[in-house]
Amino acid sequence: MKQYLRERFLKYVSFNTQSDSQHHSVPSTHNQFVFAQYLRQELVSLGFDEVQLSDKGYLTATVPATVDNVPCIGFIAHLDTAPDYSGDDVSPQVIENYNGKAIALGLEETLSPDQFDSLNQYVGQTLITTDGTTLLGADDKAGIAEIITALHHLITHPEIPHGKVRLCFTPDEEIGRGADHFDVNSFGASWAYTVDGGQVGELEYENFNAATAVITATGNNCHPGSAFGVMINAQTMAARFHAKMPLKDTPEFSADYDGFFHLIGMEGVTEKATLTYIIRDFDLTLFEQRKRWLVDLVEKYNTELKIGQLAIEVEDSYLNMKQQILPHPHIIDIAKQAMLNLEITPIVKPIRGGTDGARLSYMGLPCPNIFTGGHNFHGKHEYVCLESMEKAAQTIIEIARLTASEQVRA
């Protein structure tokens, strides 16, 4: 199984599938569709049923049931990689029998256990890293490789009891659009799992409540030589506003269940400037308070301005899936038991981010998240452990088998 995972993953990361929030086509980048077409051909050649690729880039397929009267379940991963760091010409390095020392990435960059202590748990195993110039794409091409490998194993081993299993690979998850055109009814699963997590054992069914706030400063430009009493510098207004934001209520000072405000974009000229923040909190009450606090801060700042004004627009992105999953505890119990059966210790933790599953859970498809084996997503230090990928594929198989057990059907 490891060899199949390795070959698939190395092939998949050769496709540059970065999404782009500035484009409103679906998918947002054509390369995602190219990758989906390649995967469609692979799924057909491997014997999957009902292989379909929509004009929006959603790829679905089916593994027929070997046992009757069993819930249909699904596994979901995303085609795109993050726009945060280059995904062009990915040149992965395969480090066999990792020795626990720093790994050279390019000329001067390293992947070192001094900086990333997670590396210490992989001594003697096989790591796949970047070359220091791009991200790797384990988020989420590791998940795609694991789902295909696991479900193909079910096809070629009909002696393993399981119900109908569906897969879906979605576009544009990294820019928050992965569920926009997901057809829950035609997917037909009673529940699903996104395979989009990190280290071995991760099992997540809580995520941030999320919103985006765009603050616009409107100024007035003129020649600087005659600016007295006329010019209103929108960039200055925006910069002074950001200086009023709490210094430590930010991602770099938060962990676990802490929420934050995060400035993700600032641009402008004298005439107009914008600040874009994402707002995150696990607690819905605190989330609403954060949004209100930011609106109030804008209003207060406006009263202090002698000239010029700021405007704010706040838009919710997704909500914490916990409230949609807790009424269905067997979904979590099955995943936990699958891991325990494979001698994997479940690590139940909140997602400090979001997945397609967050929105899908509110669309009627309860959808927690399980591990892929990757680390340091969205940057040049990204890596994945091949043995962890194998455990993820085995977990998928075991979840399908357990779902067909007498205990679950009861």
Side-chain angles (χ1 to χ4, degrees):
M1 187 176 287
K2 278 199 296 186
Q3 186 61 29
Y4 290 130
L5 287 164
R6 174 173 171 161
E7 291 174 359
R8 285 193 174 105
F9 180 70
L10 292 178
K11 177 62 178 180
Y12 297 168
V13 299
S14 69
F15 290 85
N16 178 5
T17 58
Q18 287 181 281
S19 47
D20 186 347
S21 62
Q22 300 304 308
H23 291 172
H24 295 286
S25 57
V26 183
S28 64
T29 52
H30 179 65
N31 284 346
Q32 292 182 71
F33 201 85
V34 172
F35 182 40
Q37 289 175 316
Y38 172 86
L39 293 173
R40 177 179 60 181
Q41 294 173 350
E42 182 178 9
L43 292 173
V44 169
S45 69
L46 291 173
F48 283 78
D49 280 5
E50 301 175 328
V51 179
Q52 296 181 330
L53 176 60
S54 79
D55 60 356
K56 304 294 185 184
Y58 289 75
L59 179 61
T60 55
T62 300
V63 178
T66 60
V67 179
D68 294 332
N69 302 318
V70 173
C72 173
I73 63 172
F75 295 94
I76 299 168
H78 59 89
L79 300 163
D80 62 323
T81 58
D84 307 55
Y85 206 81
S86 174
D88 195 24
D89 293 326
V90 173
S91 298
Q93 301 184 112
V94 179
I95 313 298
E96 297 183 347
N97 193 24
Y98 172 57
N99 62 11
K101 298 181 181 179
I103 299 169
L105 305 178
L107 296 176
E108 299 181 356
E109 193 67 50
T110 63
L111 178 63
S112 171
D114 292 337
Q115 185 176 6
F116 304 105
D117 60 6
S118 60
L119 286 164
N120 293 315
Q121 63 189 294
Y122 298 118
V123 174
Q125 300 187 54
T126 300
L127 301 183
I128 304 177
T129 77
T130 77
D131 68 354
T133 63
T134 68
L135 50 70
L136 178 62
D139 180 13
D140 192 20
K141 287 166 182 167
I144 292 175
E146 291 154 6
I147 291 171
I148 291 178
T149 302
L151 298 191
H152 183 241
H153 186 83
L154 291 180
I155 291 172
T156 56
H157 291 80
E159 72 278 7
I160 300 174
H162 61 82
K164 183 178 180 179
V165 182
R166 295 277 280 159
L167 69 78
C168 183
F169 302 141
T170 64
D172 293 334
E173 187 270 354
E174 295 290 2
I175 57 174
R177 303 177 194 166
D180 282 2
H181 300 278
F182 192 108
D183 190 335
V184 171
N185 290 332
S186 68
F187 191 59
S190 297
W191 69 86
Y193 301 88
T194 50
V195 186
D196 194 17
Q199 73 178 79
V200 168
E202 283 189 1
L203 173 59
E204 301 159 320
Y205 59 91
E206 298 179 72
N207 61 276
F208 282 131
N209 297 292
T212 299
V214 178
I215 298 173
T216 303
T218 302
N220 185 54
N221 194 23
C222 65
H223 190 284
S226 55
F228 183 78
V230 177
M231 178 182 286
I232 304 172
N233 194 322
Q235 296 173 104
T236 301
M237 292 165 58
R240 288 175 177 168
F241 174 83
H242 183 65
K244 293 179 177 292
M245 292 293 290
L247 178 62
K248 294 190 175 182
D249 200 1
T250 57
E252 56 268 41
F253 290 101
S254 61
D256 301 323
Y257 283 90
D258 297 335
F260 56 74
F261 298 99
H262 179 34
L263 178 65
I264 61 169
M266 53 192 307
E267 58 183 348
V269 293
T270 302
E271 188 79 19
K272 183 178 181 180
T274 60
L275 301 168
T276 303
Y277 295 90
I278 59 174
I279 305 167
R280 301 289 188 266
D281 213 298
F282 288 96
D283 183 275
L284 185 58
T285 300
L286 294 177
F287 175 62
E288 296 296 336
Q289 290 176 357
R290 283 183 179 278
K291 292 189 290 182
R292 182 70 252 173
W293 182 88
L294 189 59
V295 170
D296 289 346
L297 185 63
V298 169
E299 292 177 354
K300 183 176 183 297
Y301 181 64
N302 279 336
T303 65
E304 299 172 1
L305 292 172
K306 294 183 179 179
I307 52 176
Q309 291 281 290
L310 299 187
I312 181 170
E313 294 184 2
V314 180
E315 181 177 357
D316 287 345
S317 304
Y318 50 82
L319 297 174
N320 191 338
M321 72 172 83
K322 178 180 178 181
Q323 302 308 316
Q324 302 302 312
I325 292 178
L326 286 183
H328 311 283
H330 62 284
I331 299 174
I332 299 299
D333 293 341
I334 291 169
K336 285 181 180 177
Q337 191 60 54
M339 293 181 195
L340 291 172
N341 289 355
L342 297 168
E343 299 184 345
I344 298 169
T345 301
I347 304 171
V348 179
K349 58 189 288 291
I351 308 171
R352 289 188 59 79
T355 69
D356 282 336
R359 289 182 58 199
L360 292 174
S361 293
Y362 281 87
M363 292 166 61
L365 182 66
C367 196
N369 189 43
I370 61 175
F371 67 92
T372 63
H375 291 264
N376 304 338
F377 296 150
H378 296 197
K380 60 189 174 184
H381 295 108
E382 185 181 5
Y383 73 93
V384 68
C385 173
L386 187 58
E387 287 79 2
S388 298
M389 291 181 66
E390 183 178 36
K391 290 179 180 178
Q394 292 169 342
T395 299
I396 292 168
I397 294 168
E398 187 65 5
I399 287 173
R401 190 191 70 80
L402 284 176
T403 304
S405 72
E406 291 294 334
Q407 293 87 344
V408 170
R409 282 189 282 169

